[in-house]
Amino acid sequence: MALFQFWNINRFPEVFHINREEVMCLAKIGGTATYHRCLKNLNDWKYLCYLPSYNPYKGSKIKMFTFETSSDQALNGNKTSIEQALIPNTNSTKQIEDNTKTKLPKTENDVLIFFKSKAWPSLEAKKFYNHYNSIGWRLGGKIKITDWHSTAENWMLKAKEIKISNSHINGEKRNTPEDEDFLKTKKEKNYSEPL
C-alpha cells in the first residue's frame, strides 16, 4: 500500500523514485533487511519492477504494472539514467511557524525603547537585557523565550513586588538578614557564666 500511495502522490507515472526511509515509515517496516526482502519478493512475483539504486543521494526506481484484462504484460528493460537527486517529502506538510510573534531583541536599544514606553528607568532595562542575554534568552535555562515583551513585563511586575517588600512597612524599616539575630545571642559575652 505504501508504494501505491507514492505512485499516487507522483500522479501514476510509468517509473518513479522512492526514498527508503519514507517507504519504511509509511509501510511501518522497522528493518532494512525486511524492506529489501519485501521489494525483492514483489519484484520476483512480478507485481512491480524494482530497479535498486546504489547511490545514497538518488532513490531507487519502481515501475508499477497496471493489471488489466490482457493476458501478457510488456516489461521494459532495466535502464539507468542520470537524474536529479531526490528530496524527501515527509516534512512537506510541516506546520508553518507563526511569524507574527515578536522575535528576540536584536540590540539593547530595542529593550531600552520598550522600557521607556512603559515609563521604566533605563537602568532596569539594562539589567533585563544583560540578564537574559547572558543566559541565552531562556527561562530557567531550558525554555527558549518566544515573546520577550511578556518576559519584560513580568520582570517589571517582579521588580515592583521586590520594591514593595523592601519598602517601609508601617513607617518601620524591615530588618535585613544581617541585622536580625536568629540565634538570639548577645553581642557582648560573659565567659565566666556557665552554659
Side-chain angles (χ1 to χ4, degrees):
M1 284 304 290
L3 292 173
F4 181 79
Q5 287 179 351
F6 275 100
W7 193 31
N8 188 5
I9 288 170
N10 291 314
R11 301 286 186 236
F12 304 104
E14 188 175 336
V15 178
F16 62 97
H17 292 276
I18 59 169
N19 186 340
R20 183 180 70 204
E21 288 84 17
E22 290 178 352
V23 173
M24 285 175 63
C25 181
L26 196 58
K28 297 184 173 135
I29 296 175
T32 55
T34 306
Y35 166 78
H36 289 294
R37 186 182 69 235
C38 290
L39 279 178
K40 187 175 176 267
N41 286 343
L42 288 171
N43 186 42
D44 292 342
W45 297 332
K46 307 244 189 271
Y47 284 111
L48 54 85
C49 182
Y50 174 56
L51 307 167
S53 168
Y54 301 104
N55 184 351
Y57 298 107
K58 185 177 170 188
S60 299
K61 289 183 183 179
I62 297 288
K63 179 179 182 200
M64 300 289 278
F65 300 131
T66 53
F67 295 104
E68 296 179 11
T69 56
S70 64
S71 60
D72 58 335
Q73 294 181 3
L75 296 178
N76 212 359
N78 295 343
K79 297 178 185 175
T80 59
S81 64
I82 300 170
E83 293 184 13
Q84 186 176 357
L86 283 178
I87 298 171
N89 63 354
T90 23
N91 293 331
S92 61
T93 58
K94 196 179 213 181
Q95 289 183 347
I96 300 169
E97 286 187 22
D98 186 11
N99 292 334
T100 59
K101 290 185 180 178
T102 55
K103 301 290 182 195
L104 298 177
K106 293 177 182 160
T107 62
E108 187 177 3
N109 197 27
D110 295 342
V111 178
L112 288 169
I113 292 169
F114 180 75
F115 271 74
K116 280 185 182 177
S117 71
K118 300 286 184 178
W120 276 80
S122 62
L123 178 64
E124 200 66 31
K126 288 179 181 179
K127 285 181 189 176
F128 172 80
Y129 181 80
N130 290 335
H131 172 74
Y132 282 108
N133 198 32
S134 67
I135 60 171
W137 294 97
R138 294 185 180 275
L139 295 173
K142 296 177 184 176
I143 303 166
K144 190 171 183 181
I145 294 174
T146 54
D147 184 11
W148 73 270
H149 288 117
S150 299
T151 308
E153 288 176 0
N154 286 340
W155 177 280
M156 293 174 199
L157 290 173
K158 212 53 151 161
K160 281 181 185 175
E161 289 175 12
I162 292 170
K163 197 174 196 181
I164 290 170
S165 68
N166 288 340
S167 67
H168 298 296
I169 298 173
N170 295 333
E172 294 180 10
K173 188 178 179 203
R174 284 186 64 196
N175 290 335
T176 59
E178 296 86 27
D179 296 339
E180 286 189 37
D181 187 14
F182 294 110
L183 298 175
K184 311 258 189 282
T185 59
K186 298 176 186 174
K187 298 290 180 195
E188 298 173 13
K189 297 180 182 178
N190 185 0
Y191 292 103
S192 64
E193 289 181 9
L195 296 172

